[in-house]
Amino acid sequence: MASLQLSSHFLGTNTKKHSSMSISRTYSPVPCTRLFSRKFMSCSMSMNGCEGDFKTPLGTVETRTMAAVLSPTSATESLISAVSELKCQPPPFSSGVVRLEVPINQQIGAIDWLQAQNETHPRCFFSRRSDVGRPDLLLDLASEKDNNNGGSSDRDLVSVAGIGSAVFFRDLDPFSHDDWRSIRRFLSSTSPLIRAYGGMRFDPNGKISVEWKPFGAFYFAVPQVEFNEFEGSSMLAATLAWDDELSWTLDNAVESLQETMLQVSSIVMKLRKESLGVSVLSKNHVPTKGAYYPAVEKALEMINQKSSSLNKVVLARNSRVITDTDIDPIAWLAQLQSEGHDAYQFCLQPPGAPAFIGNTPERLFQRNQLGVCSEALAATRPRGASTARDKEIELDLLTSLKDDLEFSIVRENIKEKLNSICDKVVVKPQKTVRKLARVQHLYSQLAGRLRREDDEFDILAALHPTPAVCGLPAEEARLLIKEIESFDRGMYAGPIGFFGGQESEFAVGIRSALVEKGLGALIYAGTGIVAGSNPTSEWNELDLKISQFTKSIEYKSTSLQRIN
């Protein structure tokens, strides 16, 4: 269990001092005539689930599915009616979660729906990447029992957008096993689409800078109103959560949801993913180029010391861009999505916070019942201007000793960590090249079989942070990062994703930006420093990695197209 101890600094181990009914059914509605956390202001009209007793099961966790409709407008009307009916015929429980969902018989982009909503609400967005062409190691590991349990029922879910929070989870202390149990209390395998979306800081014990304070050490939320985009269809859903012990009753939850539903826009405009209509006035890097070169040299000096166990450290940079007008984070994310089919897109925006958005190619882990998979992704090259040139660059990447070292450190470390929590680990392939729109990386998939589903917290404890975003050994790398870097990474390079009753999935929050009203954006990138690294090459790699963000804010033109 050495790898678990290695990562213990990054997740909490504190303990707090202080058989639910689970239903999934089809439902036809009939028309019918103040809490705050000890350490945080509450989300607007919601409750902090971390303050509840995770040892006490909820009274009910259920999903009610209405008849399918043809448009978002009809779906909104159906949900409003269903909420009214729930108010008239409340479930007889002092705590619970109820998801009301209406299928829509057309595929509508979740990001387009989110763009249409009031930006004053807390927002979240999570889009799965396309894994077409890569083997599904989870299916290879799955037993017949797993497959019969419906573990793949939502595999055609493309992306999720949410506003508001039925319940949120946030604290200043590092994410602990108790916090995980608090989230799991609101989830059920029979309601797999009730999920808590959010993320955690790269280093939860580091000092939190002002721009990251609203996120806490971690932040998760079950959206109050949610739009699901599937392959060929969509779904609008509303979720209520209540717990009388937290002074947040079903009446409170219904009243809050009704208020939010009245603000939901059903007029969805398709974003034309061109440019943002803003121009960059200034761009400043922290560290500057003059400070970055000595930092790399210092890292190399430590790596090359015979007395040092440090093999790799990842040094990051943030780039502050100031624009002539505010950047719309959802429109920016839509642009990233247009070239990021092989990447996760995400947006996380707690109440009163900047929007943290990203287009990350890297999966931290995916769990489906007992199966868990991760991957190694390291070493970077640009794409070639022609097919022949692209192949030359690929061959150079595959045969580079320096890049093989960097990649092998990542792959073997993840394999070791999975072995600590799984009965069986598969690595396939050992090394290949993964090509993205602008860059290509060395890549490998790894998968294993958990001994128990309750070991999910241990996946996070084992895998975060990977050597791809921190270094190896992790603690030595973290201390050097803390000494060298002069800014707060926040959730950059932290786990970003969701917990679900049946499935959980987290990406690594790289290739990301924090978008602030009136302050432009902070764009984050990092590079792995190993023996043989060159400061100039590493600086150029940072520029290459942020180019997907900067390319779309140099020109002025944008347009919308209404979805009928």
Side-chain angles (χ1 to χ4, degrees), residues 24-41:
S24 181
R25 64 190 182 195
T26 302
Y27 181 76
S28 299
V30 179
C32 174
T33 325
R34 71 198 140 113
L35 174 79
F36 59 92
S37 162
R38 290 189 300 266
K39 298 179 180 177
F40 281 102
M41 294 290 290

Side-chain angles (χ1 to χ4, degrees), residues 54-161:
F54 59 79
K55 296 177 183 178
T56 303
L58 295 182
T60 183
V61 180
E62 60 181 276
T63 296
R64 303 181 181 185
T65 305
M66 304 338 128
V69 297
L70 297 176
S71 68
T73 300
S74 298
T76 302
E77 293 170 351
S78 181
L79 279 184
I80 290 174
S81 177
V83 174
S84 296
E85 172 65 13
L86 187 72
K87 184 176 183 179
C88 292
Q89 300 179 16
F93 304 104
S94 61
S95 63
V97 179
V98 177
R99 174 183 163 100
L100 309 169
E101 58 184 32
V102 182
I104 302 172
N105 290 331
Q106 62 169 314
Q107 183 173 349
I108 298 171
I111 200 164
D112 299 320
W113 178 87
L114 187 58
Q115 173 70 12
Q117 307 312 313
N118 190 327
E119 64 180 33
T120 61
H121 292 290
R123 298 186 286 188
C124 67
F125 179 84
F126 188 79
S127 178
R128 284 178 149 161
R129 70 181 191 195
S130 170
D131 282 330
V132 174
R134 284 190 290 274
D136 190 336
L137 298 190
L138 283 184
L139 287 180
D140 293 344
L141 284 171
S143 68
E144 184 177 339
K145 179 181 177 181
D146 289 334
N147 291 332
N148 288 339
N149 280 342
S152 299
S153 60
D154 62 336
R155 292 183 70 86
D156 61 345
L157 181 61
V158 176
S159 56
V160 175

Side-chain angles (χ1 to χ4, degrees), residues 167-391:
V167 55
F168 71 97
F169 308 86
R170 181 172 57 177
D171 207 334
L172 286 172
D173 293 328
F175 189 73
S176 68
H177 190 263
D178 288 355
D179 295 317
W180 175 78
R181 292 179 67 185
S182 294
I183 293 175
R184 292 285 296 180
R185 180 175 178 241
F186 288 83
L187 309 176
S188 168
S189 60
T190 60
S191 290
L193 291 179
I194 297 178
R195 295 171 168 177
Y197 294 89
M200 308 172 202
R201 287 174 57 81
F202 167 77
D203 184 354
N205 290 287
K207 183 179 179 181
I208 302 178
S209 60
V210 63
E211 68 269 18
W212 286 106
K213 279 188 177 178
F215 294 83
F218 63 89
Y219 172 82
F220 289 89
V222 176
Q224 198 174 34
V225 181
E226 183 179 313
F227 195 92
N228 301 149
E229 177 187 356
F230 296 91
E231 293 286 356
S233 65
S234 308
M235 180 181 287
L236 185 66
T239 302
L240 304 98
W242 70 98
D243 186 347
D244 290 357
E245 292 299 315
L246 290 177
S247 302
W248 185 254
T249 66
L250 178 60
D251 285 343
N252 295 142
V254 168
E255 182 180 349
S256 175
L257 178 57
Q258 287 178 323
E259 182 179 336
T260 301
M261 288 298 303
L262 291 175
Q263 300 175 56
V264 170
S265 173
S266 300
I267 302 174
V268 180
M269 312 291 284
K270 186 170 181 61
L271 283 160
R272 290 181 178 172
K273 299 162 184 178
E274 297 166 4
S275 86
L276 295 176
V278 302
S279 293
V280 175
L281 300 178
S282 65
K283 180 167 65 176
N284 298 290
H285 303 300
V286 176
T288 63
K289 194 172 185 178
Y292 180 78
Y293 278 46
V296 173
E297 296 292 354
K298 180 174 183 177
L300 288 171
E301 183 180 334
M302 288 195 64
I303 289 169
N304 292 327
Q305 286 178 1
K306 291 183 179 180
S307 60
S308 173
S309 61
L310 188 67
N311 293 315
K312 175 184 178 180
V313 65
V314 177
L315 298 183
R317 183 185 79 182
N318 76 30
S319 302
R320 165 74 73 182
V321 292
I322 302 297
T323 53
D324 57 347
T325 57
D326 284 340
I327 300 172
D328 182 337
I330 306 304
W332 207 3
L333 191 59
Q335 287 201 335
L336 299 174
Q337 189 179 46
S338 67
E339 67 168 49
H341 298 296
D342 202 20
Y344 296 92
Q345 290 81 41
F346 64 84
C347 173
L348 187 60
Q349 188 170 23
F356 183 48
I357 66 171
N359 184 50
T360 173
E362 187 172 352
R363 169 183 287 155
L364 183 62
F365 77 88
Q366 179 187 9
R367 178 194 65 82
N368 194 318
Q369 298 181 111
L370 289 176
V372 58
C373 66
S374 186
E375 61 191 27
L377 190 76
T380 305
R381 291 288 191 281
R383 295 298 303 271
S386 66
T387 302
R389 178 58 183 151
D390 199 56
K391 194 69 178 176

